[in-house]
Amino acid sequence: MAKLSLRAVQKLTCKKRDAWWTVALVDPVATRMLIVMARFDFITPNRVTWAALFIGLGSAGFFLKGDTQSLVIGAALYHLSFILDCIDGKLARLKGNGTVFGGWLDYVFDRIRVLFCALALMGGQYLRTEDERFLLAALAVVFLDMLRYVDALQIYKMRMSMRAKIEKVTKEQREAERAAEASRADEEAPQVQFMEDLLRDHPEAEAELLKQAGAGQVVDLHAQFRHRFPWYRRVRQALLRSRIRPHLISGIEFQMFIFIVGPLIGQILMTVLVSAVLMGLFELIIMYKFWLSTRDFTQVMAELNANAPSTSGTISPHLHRGRHRRGVPEQILADAELLNPQPEDDPGFHPYPQPYTDQPYTDPYEPPVRDEWPPPYAYDVPQAYERPYDHGAATRTRIRPLYAAPHTHQPQQHGHPGE
């Protein structure tokens, strides 16, 4: 690998927007370590990820001791572990040898490191002080870390889904227009552009100017948020000049406050409380921004489907099939007989008996009721049947016999044969 200057490595590996903790306290060290580590072929991104995990578990061991010196060492090891966690991605971008499995491994190991360090830090303080609040703090740290990253992944997934739907509808409409106009059959229609991408590439530009200068259709899924908070653009531009993203308290800052700042200043519970409140506040802001973005998406889709036929009251075709039904023809699913199954289609189908019918209910396991009295199939069974004396047979009360011989036309003979 050719030698690169520090500035070149920073340009190639550092993100355009990152957490302020990473920009200020990690990148200056990580890029210098990266220059040295990139010279050795045996140092791969996955091995760096494993090293970050082991050092993080080592910091958890010092956190568990709980004394002041161990807390300082544990905080230093955690910061080193996080630096290595950043180096693995930079190394993959620099050498171009990143893999999908490496990204998954990095994410899983981050969660394992946070889990063990939280349990060790709070558990060590509980063993020293017997303060049960540290146990609650451990649960809060693990839960909030999980919530932050699950919410971030889900919001990212939903945003990509909204963008994909807009691109699909726009592409279908343009294909229909090209098919209707033969003169434009050979022209290449411009793809839809998103204002978020344009602002990321041109952070100093105005949204309206980018929308007018953009080639093709420009979709803005953050229009309502910028309209309600016009000052946000100025703050965002000021932060992006230093590569700092507007999300000031994210999962990274949350971890650094708890596992580095808290142990160093000796105020662990207070640090957990302040960090949790600040991160929860920023998470609510992100959820609110995402909610406004979904409203923009609904409005954009309504404009795109303004001339499309209404599908109200219909079932979407994709709901009728899954991956196990990809080969099923559509005409089979549209068969009216399949939508109205009959009882004989299921041999185990037994409809509920209808109450209040004219025909009396008969139990197939009970012997039939005879008119003669007493019945011939009950013998020597006291109080097998009870017959009231006030009314006739119409009001006869039947009591289930304790024992009834099998029903035959001839009464059963008692005694031994030959008697």
Side-chain angles (χ1 to χ4, degrees):
M1 181 177 180
K3 293 184 179 180
L4 298 175
S5 64
L6 177 62
R7 186 174 181 83
V9 172
Q10 291 176 347
K11 290 285 186 181
L12 292 173
T13 61
C14 294
K15 300 177 182 179
K16 294 182 178 180
R17 298 185 304 170
D18 212 334
W20 63 266
W21 185 282
T22 304
V23 173
L25 302 175
V26 175
D27 283 347
V29 180
T31 50
R32 288 171 171 82
M33 294 178 61
L34 180 62
I35 294 177
V36 178
M37 297 171 64
R39 299 174 184 175
F40 303 96
D41 294 336
F42 69 90
I43 299 180
T44 62
N46 287 349
R47 291 177 179 177
V48 176
T49 304
W50 278 98
L53 173 65
F54 290 144
I55 295 177
L57 296 179
S59 67
F62 283 95
F63 285 152
L64 187 60
K65 294 182 179 180
D67 59 279
T68 303
Q69 182 179 1
S70 299
L71 291 179
V72 173
I73 297 175
L77 289 178
Y78 192 90
H79 187 59
L80 177 60
S81 173
F82 184 72
I83 291 176
L84 293 177
D85 186 36
C86 295
I87 288 178
D88 59 2
K90 297 180 185 298
L91 184 62
R93 288 190 291 270
L94 184 62
K95 290 189 173 183
N97 57 352
T99 60
V100 177
F101 177 77
W104 173 84
L105 196 70
D106 182 39
Y107 176 82
V108 173
F109 282 2
D110 287 347
R111 308 284 71 75
I112 294 176
R113 179 180 57 193
V114 171
L115 174 64
F116 277 86
C117 287
L119 296 178
L121 178 61
M122 305 306 168
Q125 295 303 306
Y126 172 74
L127 293 177
R128 289 176 60 86
T129 63
E130 295 185 357
D131 190 348
E132 297 179 353
R133 293 180 297 175
F134 286 102
L135 301 180
L136 298 177
L139 295 177
V141 171
V142 174
F143 171 76
L144 291 176
D145 178 79
M146 176 197 67
L147 177 64
R148 163 63 193 141
Y149 283 91
V150 169
D151 183 54
L153 290 176
Q154 192 66 18
I155 289 180
Y156 175 78
K157 178 181 177 181
M158 292 296 101
R159 285 178 175 174
M160 293 299 103
S161 176
M162 291 189 297
R163 292 169 63 124
K165 291 179 181 179
I166 293 176
E167 291 175 350
K168 179 181 178 181
V169 174
T170 305
K171 181 180 179 181
E172 292 176 353
Q173 290 182 355
R174 286 175 177 168
E175 289 178 353
E177 292 176 359
R178 289 201 307 267
E181 300 179 14
S183 59
R184 298 176 55 188
D186 298 332
E187 296 182 7
E188 183 178 356
Q191 296 182 354
V192 62
Q193 294 180 314
F194 293 91
M195 182 63 67
E196 184 179 1
D197 298 336
L198 297 177
L199 288 175
R200 185 181 294 108
D201 297 335
H202 307 86
E204 299 293 335
E206 296 286 343
E208 294 298 330
L209 296 178
L210 290 176
K211 189 173 183 178
Q212 296 176 4
Q217 184 179 3
V218 178
V219 177
D220 189 0
L221 295 180
H222 299 284
Q224 294 191 38
F225 184 81
R226 281 194 297 272
H227 177 72
R228 297 190 181 190
F229 305 97
W231 51 266
Y232 173 77
R233 181 184 62 84
R234 296 188 295 270
V235 175
R236 180 178 181 274
Q237 291 177 351
L239 293 175
L240 290 180
R241 294 188 186 100
S242 302
R243 296 195 305 112
I244 298 176
R245 61 189 181 188
H247 191 189
L248 298 178
I249 308 297
S250 63
I252 294 177
E253 290 80 9
F254 179 71
Q255 296 178 28
M256 301 305 112
F257 285 165
I258 293 175
F259 300 121
I260 297 179
V261 176
L264 290 179
I265 65 177
Q267 298 292 332
I268 297 177
L269 286 178
M270 183 58 64
T271 305
V272 171
L273 178 61
V274 174
S275 303
V277 171
L278 291 177
M279 192 182 73
L281 178 62
F282 274 87
E283 288 301 308
L284 291 178
I285 295 175
I286 289 179
M287 294 177 186
Y288 177 71
K289 184 179 179 181
F290 177 67
W291 174 66
L292 293 179
S293 179
T294 58
R295 297 183 61 181
D296 290 328
F297 168 75
T298 303
Q299 183 177 357
V300 170
M301 292 298 295
E303 294 175 357
L304 293 176
N305 296 327
N307 299 326
S310 176
T311 59
S312 176
T314 62
I315 300 177
S316 179
H318 74 276
L319 298 178
H320 288 289
R321 58 180 182 270
R323 287 184 295 179
H324 61 291
R325 295 182 181 175
R326 289 178 178 174
V328 179
E330 296 295 336
Q331 58 269 21
I332 296 181
L333 295 177
D335 193 349
E337 295 182 357
L338 297 179
L339 301 179
N340 297 307
Q342 301 299 323
E344 58 269 14
D345 294 338
D346 185 4
F349 175 77
H350 297 288
Y352 289 104
Q354 297 295 331
Y356 308 111
T357 57
D358 296 335
Q359 299 295 331
Y361 173 73
T362 58
D363 190 349
Y365 298 100
E366 288 287 342
V369 180
R370 295 178 176 271
D371 293 335
E372 58 267 22
W373 191 264
Y377 50 83
Y379 303 94
D380 301 333
V381 180
Q383 299 180 354
Y385 283 84
E386 179 183 356
R387 183 174 182 177
Y389 296 96
D390 51 348
H391 297 286
T395 60
R396 180 180 302 167
T397 302
R398 178 178 176 183
I399 300 177
R400 185 186 182 94
L402 300 178
Y403 170 78
H407 174 68
T408 58
H409 292 287
Q410 299 296 330
Q412 184 177 357
Q413 299 295 331
H414 291 270
H416 298 282
E419 294 182 355

